[in-house]
Amino acid sequence: MMLRVGLTGGIASGKSTVAHLLAEWGCFVVDADKVVAELYQIGSPGHDAIRERYGEGVLDEEGEIDRMKLSAVALATPEAANELNTLIHPLVIAETQRRLHEKEEAVKPDALIGVVEATLIIEGGTKHLYDKIVVVDADPVSQVDRAIQRGLTREEAERRMARQSERDIRLRDADYVIRNDGDRLDMADQVKQLHTKLLLDLERKSRGVISLS
């Protein structure tokens, strides 16, 4: 029995930190960004799809997908970003769900919390795949500042934020919210409380009390 949890939030909101803490406490975590990176490798379905759609111009000298070149072409406008998501998102969904299923089969009959960390759970219309949705929320100014610290330009950070769902929509669809406007200790305390609640949800699901959202 697995409780499936979708962990989402805007750019630089702190999703990865929350995912890391949940993994430390025994959750099985799938990072959608890492899945994308694997799908972009030569010989993978994502690489083939990108090469066919965008051509050799988004590849480096070794034939690998250059994500900076791809971003310049495929994320230049909202329409272009939607096209890229339409191309790659179904592959990512299928792979993340396959990994959850594989893990669930491996641990039977034990109970487990499975977490998918992904930005586009709500925007991509996959909320129904999860028992619970956790949103990591942060002040938009802080998000932009953190994104810049990670190497993005302000323009790119703001453009990516604009392509994501509005903050109030994410919060509306959340079962649980982690606020990331304080320090790491405050976040860790919130995640610990979240883990306790998810354990209770898992116990309820094992008794047939909880159903998919």
Side-chain angles (χ1 to χ4, degrees):
M1 176 68 66
M2 176 182 284
L3 182 79
R4 299 191 176 207
V5 178
L7 173 63
T8 192
I11 182 175
S13 60
K15 295 186 301 298
S16 295
T17 300
V18 173
H20 178 73
L21 289 170
L22 290 174
E24 286 186 347
W25 293 326
C27 298
F28 174 67
V29 176
V30 180
D31 182 342
D33 279 345
K34 291 182 179 179
V35 171
V36 171
E38 293 175 15
L39 288 171
Y40 279 2
Q41 292 176 0
I42 293 176
S44 296
H47 184 280
D48 295 341
I50 292 294
R51 183 172 183 174
E52 179 177 347
R53 170 60 185 87
Y54 299 101
E56 305 290 329
V58 298
L59 306 181
D60 62 20
E61 294 179 354
E62 286 73 42
E64 299 279 0
I65 293 174
D66 185 317
R67 297 186 74 161
M68 292 298 291
K69 292 180 180 178
L70 178 62
S71 294
V73 175
L75 300 180
T77 66
E79 294 75 20
N82 287 335
E83 184 175 358
L84 177 62
N85 286 335
T86 300
L87 191 66
I88 298 299
H89 203 212
L91 300 175
V92 178
I93 295 169
E95 180 58 18
T96 55
Q97 296 303 306
R98 185 195 68 78
R99 294 186 187 190
L100 290 179
H101 178 73
E102 182 179 72
K103 184 66 174 181
E104 185 173 26
E105 290 296 307
V107 301
K108 279 185 175 178
D110 296 331
L112 182 68
I113 298 172
V115 179
V116 173
E117 176 200 347
T119 302
L120 300 179
I121 288 175
I122 293 171
E123 298 92 319
T126 58
K127 178 185 174 183
H128 66 283
L129 296 175
Y130 303 98
D131 298 299
K132 294 294 177 180
I133 298 296
V134 176
V135 170
V136 185
D137 183 58
D139 175 75
V141 174
S142 298
Q143 287 180 251
V144 172
D145 289 342
R146 291 172 191 157
I148 292 172
Q149 291 172 9
R150 296 176 187 179
L152 294 181
T153 64
R154 180 173 296 276
E155 179 183 14
E156 176 64 14
E158 291 176 347
R159 185 164 68 240
R160 292 191 185 187
M161 284 184 65
R163 287 197 301 268
Q164 297 171 2
S165 67
E166 295 181 9
R167 186 183 185 188
D168 60 339
I169 294 176
R170 282 197 300 271
L171 293 175
R172 180 197 65 195
D173 287 345
D175 293 296
Y176 299 114
V177 176
I178 298 292
R179 305 284 181 186
N180 188 20
D181 294 320
D183 58 26
R184 184 180 174 86
L185 289 176
D186 176 64
M187 173 181 268
D189 182 61
Q190 291 182 68
V191 180
K192 187 64 176 177
Q193 293 179 48
L194 168 67
H195 184 244
T196 300
K197 292 174 182 177
L198 292 177
L199 287 173
L200 290 173
D201 287 335
L202 178 59
E203 192 273 333
R204 284 194 290 266
K205 184 179 182 182
S206 70
R207 293 189 286 109
V209 178
I210 190 172
S211 61
L212 286 175
S213 299

